[in-house]
Amino acid sequence: MVEVWLGTGVRVAVNGELVTLATRHERAIVARLALSAGQSVARDTLARELWPASSLASARLSLRQRLHALRTQLGSHIAADRQAVALVASRVILEPVPSPKIFLDELGLPGLPWGQMPDHASHHAAPEPVRPDAVVEWLDAMIEAGDAPTFPYLGRPQDLTRHLARTDPELWRATAMFAAVMEHRFEAALQLWDDAPEPWCTPAYGAFALEWSGNAAHGLGDYHLTIATFLEAGRRYQSLGAVQSGWRMRFKVHRVMVDMGAVTAGERGLNALSARYGRDLTPGLRRMLDFNLVFAHACAGHAACAREAEFRARRAVPELDPSSAFLEANVSTAALERADLPAARAALARYAEQVAADPAPSASDLLWVRAADLFGRAGDFELAAVAHRLLTYEVEASGRRISAINRQRFTHEINGLLARGEGSHWLRAATHARRLSPAEAAARIRDALAR
């Protein structure tokens, strides 16, 4: 539970313990979200309100950095996706002030459109009740369009349980599986599928639930279950006439093949999907296909094809768009495969900058994997060991898994070093890395990439 006191200042407590918010922008973000009554606020809206003198791209980058700092203090109580941010499980106490101006002046951001502070001593912000029709509208868009709009009740799984379970258990189950996967609770998502009656009365909900059970299995590293689930979800989507979602399942099957190490088969499947249906895909799916083709071509050693996919993707993605971070990670892989270490470092530095406030834990996992690969190839085993240590720490602490293909890349240079009988170098580097705290290690890697 997060408690937020607003009045003559902004004070925040997490589970009863006060936390310190270091900057006025961090305090402003918390206050803005707290006064939104449990509703999410668009990233663009926050960026424009808090940095009105900056360009939108620069403001969004500043917002990412501040969100990253807030998540170290508030953890999962700051819920965000690529479009919106929300404050989860919050209690807001509005303290009496002589004038709203005192509160706004304390933040140093008097222009924010927050309305008037009430003059009573305490107010508990109640979130807007969940509307099943809004969830149905969102789910229909997910199924029919093949692209993912922002979920209207971000960070409110308990509210979904309470409201939807009474009205439509199938709608609740499908939506809850999506929410569980987005929160990286993969076992919980699979349990929801295992407990579901068969057959589902609503084919669309069943197809959607199958897709997200496949995403959960992927998160747990069960590739065969993942592929089987995506194939069945694709068959059901096609039977419903949801063509884009059917193509999305084909894309996911081939991408999982690359992840499990069947690079040639995965690359061939992604190529075929691009050649046959590329012109008909939605812009979002076309973009993700090109992002992943960069990676698949790079892993297969096809540098020219990777460059062509990168060129298509860059034309479609504005600079500093949130989705471009994933592209930069894959571009770094392509550069490493053609032994262009400066280009790999530059791409990885852009990736590190853009995911500084990414809510997905897998974003930092991927950063440490690529950094270990880069520094190992550059012969800087001290930094490679620091990146190795970071990934090991985070994976062990969270129980997350990294893909087979990334595990191979992660250990490639280390194995080569040991095979050459140079274990003493790695021993010294690993010993030094273990003396660093995770925060110190992360700062070392980010600083090294930025140089």
Side-chain angles (χ1 to χ4, degrees):
M1 168 68 73
V2 173
E3 295 176 293
V4 182
W5 288 265
L6 304 177
T8 55
V10 179
R11 291 178 292 132
V12 180
V14 178
N15 298 325
E17 294 193 11
L18 288 173
V19 299
T20 301
L21 303 182
T23 71
R24 64 189 178 96
H25 281 104
E26 289 169 22
R27 294 190 291 275
I29 291 170
V30 169
R32 177 70 164 89
L33 296 177
L35 290 173
S36 297
Q39 298 299 295
S40 58
V41 179
R43 280 179 179 256
D44 284 356
T45 298
L46 284 173
R48 289 191 180 99
E49 289 177 357
L50 271 70
W51 290 274
S54 302
S55 67
L56 179 58
S58 176
R60 283 184 65 106
L61 183 56
S62 297
L63 176 63
R64 292 190 195 104
Q65 293 167 346
R66 298 279 62 81
L67 288 175
H68 177 69
L70 282 173
R71 284 182 64 82
T72 64
Q73 298 278 40
L74 306 183
S76 60
H77 294 291
I78 291 288
D81 62 11
R82 296 190 184 280
Q83 285 79 39
V85 187
L87 187 64
V88 180
S90 61
R91 174 175 177 246
V92 182
I93 301 97
L94 300 180
E95 300 172 320
V97 293
S99 164
K101 186 175 184 299
I102 294 177
F103 168 65
L104 296 175
D105 285 351
E106 190 278 338
L107 293 175
L109 301 165
L112 292 177
W114 292 349
Q116 296 295 307
M117 293 283 292
D119 57 5
H120 54 274
S122 180
H123 170 69
H124 301 285
E128 176 189 347
V130 170
R131 293 189 298 109
D133 61 320
V135 179
V136 171
E137 181 180 349
W138 169 82
L139 192 56
D140 287 344
M142 286 280 287
I143 292 169
E144 294 175 9
D147 279 343
T150 300
F151 185 54
Y153 301 110
L154 180 69
R156 296 175 60 184
Q158 293 179 340
D159 290 339
L160 290 171
T161 305
R162 183 166 57 252
H163 290 277
L164 296 182
R166 300 172 184 167
T167 57
D168 192 334
E170 290 188 357
L171 176 62
W172 147 243
R173 190 182 302 274
T175 310
M177 291 176 68
F178 166 83
V181 172
M182 293 301 289
E183 295 169 5
H184 291 256
R185 296 186 294 111
F186 303 125
E187 293 281 6
L190 284 178
Q191 189 62 50
L192 283 165
W193 173 259
D194 291 341
D195 293 343
E198 270 291 332
W200 285 55
C201 297
T202 309
Y205 295 169
F208 182 80
L210 263 171
E211 176 181 355
W212 285 89
S213 68
N215 288 334
H218 189 203
L220 294 170
D222 190 337
Y223 296 124
H224 295 105
L225 177 60
T226 302
I227 290 175
T229 305
F230 285 159
L231 287 171
E232 177 61 17
R235 185 188 68 77
R236 296 194 188 193
Y237 279 137
Q238 292 288 355
S239 70
L240 292 168
V243 177
Q244 291 290 336
S245 289
W247 288 339
R248 185 173 70 245
M249 293 303 94
R250 293 192 190 187
F251 158 72
K252 288 188 174 184
V253 165
H254 301 312
R255 182 62 178 87
V256 172
M257 288 182 177
V258 176
D259 279 346
M260 65 190 296
V263 175
T264 301
E267 180 197 29
R268 186 184 299 121
L270 291 172
N271 264 334
L273 182 62
S274 177
R276 186 170 182 180
Y277 303 112
R279 293 178 180 273
D280 299 320
L281 300 176
T282 63
L285 187 52
R286 172 75 254 186
R287 184 166 61 245
M288 288 307 299
L289 179 58
D290 284 331
F291 287 3
N292 284 278
L293 276 170
V294 174
F295 182 69
H297 289 319
C299 292
H302 299 150
C305 294
R307 282 180 176 272
E308 182 181 346
E310 178 190 348
F311 176 72
R312 287 196 304 269
R314 289 203 185 280
R315 283 191 305 177
V317 181
E319 186 179 2
L320 292 180
D321 184 278
S323 64
S324 68
F326 183 52
L327 174 60
E328 298 297 353
N330 289 344
V331 167
S332 72
T333 304
L336 286 169
E337 288 304 311
R338 63 177 187 267
D340 188 346
L341 298 188
R345 182 188 288 262
L348 205 54
R350 292 191 295 271
Y351 177 68
E353 183 179 26
Q354 293 185 46
V355 303
D358 195 310
S362 57
S364 59
D365 293 351
L366 188 56
L367 176 59
W368 313 140
V369 168
R370 296 290 182 269
D373 194 357
L374 168 67
F375 294 124
R377 290 174 188 250
D380 192 332
F381 295 112
E382 182 174 330
L383 284 173
V386 172
H388 183 284
R389 172 64 177 157
L390 273 168
L391 183 60
T392 302
Y393 174 83
E394 291 199 4
V395 168
E396 287 178 351
S398 65
R400 295 190 300 273
R401 292 164 174 80
I402 58 175
S403 67
I405 189 69
N406 277 328
R407 282 198 302 271
Q408 293 170 12
R409 302 185 64 82
F410 181 51
T411 58
H412 174 76
E413 292 303 321
I414 300 170
N415 291 341
L417 178 72
L418 300 179
R420 294 192 299 270
E422 300 178 32
S424 60
H425 295 303
W426 184 255
L427 180 60
R428 287 194 297 271
T431 301
H432 174 73
R434 292 181 67 85
R435 293 173 182 154
L436 300 175
S437 69
E440 291 171 331
R444 283 283 306 277
I445 296 299
R446 294 182 186 277
D447 289 347
L449 290 172
R451 287 199 295 268

